[in-house]
Amino acid sequence: METEIDETGPHFVSAHMVAERAGVSRSAVSRAFTPGASIAPATRKKVMKAAAELGYQVNDLARGLLANRSRLVGLVASDLASPFRTLQVAALSRRLVARGSVPVLIPTEPGEDQVGAAHATLLRYRAEATIVLSGMPSSSIVELAQRNGQPLIVVGRTEHGPDHVRINNARAAQIAVEVFLARGLTNLGLVTSIVGSPNLIEREEAFVAAARERGLEVKVQRAGYTDYEGGQAAASLLLGTGDPVEAVFCVNDLMALGLMDYARDVLNLSIPENLSVIGFDGIPQTRWSAYRLTTFHQDEEALAAETIRVLDRRQADPKAPPIVSVLDVPLIYRGSVRPLKDGT
């Protein structure tokens, strides 16, 4: 016996089919699924019964296109393999769903062209907002969003025009210098990469500036990538010199973990006795007993909640001046920094 193959594709239950089953007009079905619309209770009950029997769901995308705005919210992000970015996207997606929005993730590589193409795609689908988690939104992207009336929120950047949610990188870097100096550690190093994202640049510049204010120079070492292997590569250049570095501020946790493993396994350094290390992000691996990394904790849930709050404020007042929200990040002390002389 041969199996027949349906080549016509999936069949979605339409509002017209619900209307026929309920014995009402097509407009009655529309009113039944429109909050606040005028419809007799008995008619609505018949429509809902027919819809449940047929498995009908409202086509929100079509409704959004007709209204010139959908419930889609675009998340434009690169570096999705990094633990923090994964946590950030997950937290923001959960809150968008709870809000009644539909998150659409568009992965990109860093750069204006790819971010611009992603943003244009979201505009074509009438997304209600675009949230850029990474990349470099140019002035043309900002202008395009403003012409189309679409909210644009950039996270971790400083751009003229859109709304912002930022981390207080400068204050964190200053605290890192203060922590090291309070322990008598004056031969300082910083590990970063050549990626040059705004967050990384802010952390580096603020750390170097805070050290110089106290009469200290910082040995800066850049790797090709801001990852575990990059941390190891930077460690091989920074720590293998004749003038030993006593304390290192790493611009993210992955680089810190790579540096710690290289320092212990290759150079036989003890942490924190020979080397103190501070990271940034607060990814779950920093809590592992093999690392116990002291780090600045970016709370992905707090960051997501603030991003949603900014989006709600923008939609409530589309003509308001750009919103700039700056979040502080706490330093979580663990075992990678030498204790103070009093034991704390």
Side-chain angles (χ1 to χ4, degrees):
M1 179 178 177
E2 293 185 357
T3 302
E4 292 185 0
I5 300 175
D6 182 1
E7 297 180 342
T8 62
H11 297 281
F12 293 99
V13 178
S14 68
H16 180 72
M17 296 166 65
V18 175
E20 286 187 338
R21 190 178 187 96
V24 300
S25 66
R26 169 66 179 79
S27 62
V29 175
S30 178
R31 292 196 304 275
F33 284 93
T34 301
S38 176
I39 183 172
T43 302
R44 186 179 187 280
K45 184 176 181 180
K46 286 196 296 183
V47 170
M48 292 304 178
K49 182 175 183 294
E53 291 171 350
L54 293 172
Y56 171 73
Q57 294 291 328
V58 175
N59 189 335
D60 279 334
L61 180 58
R63 280 191 168 191
L65 293 176
L66 288 173
N68 207 33
R69 191 183 79 177
S70 71
R71 294 164 64 191
L72 304 179
V73 174
L75 305 180
V76 180
S78 65
D79 197 22
L80 292 175
S82 72
F84 177 72
R85 184 74 72 224
T86 300
L87 294 170
Q88 184 183 28
V89 169
L92 192 50
S93 297
R94 286 192 299 270
R95 289 183 180 270
L96 284 169
V97 170
R99 179 181 183 266
S101 301
V102 180
V104 178
L105 175 63
I106 301 186
T108 67
E109 294 300 321
E112 285 189 9
D113 291 342
Q114 288 206 21
V115 176
H119 185 223
T121 298
L122 292 166
L123 286 171
R124 287 197 298 272
Y125 279 94
R126 303 296 190 269
E128 63 172 312
T130 295
I131 301 172
V132 180
L133 303 179
S134 52
M136 303 179 70
S138 66
S139 58
S140 62
I141 296 174
V142 175
E143 291 167 3
L144 183 60
Q146 291 174 336
R147 286 201 305 270
N148 283 270
Q150 186 201 60
L152 176 64
I153 302 173
V154 294
V155 181
R157 294 196 55 83
T158 301
E159 304 288 340
H160 179 71
D163 297 324
H164 295 77
V165 178
R166 301 178 55 211
I167 295 298
N168 195 342
N169 293 303
R171 181 56 188 148
Q174 293 166 1
I175 290 173
V177 171
E178 293 167 2
V179 168
F180 288 148
L181 294 187
R183 288 153 176 79
L185 305 171
T186 57
N187 199 343
L188 308 181
L190 179 136
V191 164
T192 185
S193 72
I194 62 173
V195 172
S197 72
N199 276 326
L200 304 189
I201 292 173
E202 285 183 2
R203 291 166 200 171
E204 175 186 340
E205 290 181 348
F207 186 82
V208 171
R212 285 179 177 168
E213 287 178 359
R214 294 158 177 81
L216 302 174
E217 291 297 319
V218 177
K219 297 178 182 177
V220 177
Q221 188 62 59
R222 293 181 178 83
Y225 297 98
T226 321
D227 56 11
Y228 177 88
E229 288 74 18
Q232 290 203 314
S236 69
L237 299 172
L238 179 66
L239 303 179
T241 62
D243 188 15
V245 171
E246 300 174 298
V248 179
F249 177 43
C250 298
V251 294
N252 79 352
D253 289 337
L254 283 179
M255 298 197 84
L257 302 186
L259 177 138
M260 291 174 71
D261 281 344
Y262 188 92
R264 292 181 300 200
D265 299 341
V266 178
L267 301 178
N268 295 316
L269 296 177
S270 177
I271 297 174
E273 288 78 10
N274 304 128
L275 180 69
S276 291
V277 182
I278 293 177
F280 204 110
D281 282 339
I283 62 176
Q285 292 86 340
T286 60
R287 300 192 295 268
W288 292 0
S289 59
Y291 298 108
R292 298 184 60 244
L293 176 65
T294 295
T295 184
F296 291 96
H297 178 56
Q298 288 199 74
D299 186 334
E300 68 278 1
E301 294 293 344
L303 193 58
E306 185 61 17
T307 303
I308 297 298
R309 190 182 73 84
V310 169
L311 174 57
D312 289 341
R313 285 179 58 192
R314 172 54 56 202
Q315 291 186 331
D317 189 358
K319 295 184 179 181
I323 301 166
V324 179
S325 179
V326 182
L327 302 180
D328 287 319
V329 285
L331 181 61
I332 308 300
Y333 288 89
R334 297 195 180 97
S336 66
V337 171
R338 183 188 302 175
L340 294 170
K341 292 183 179 180
D342 62 4
T344 61

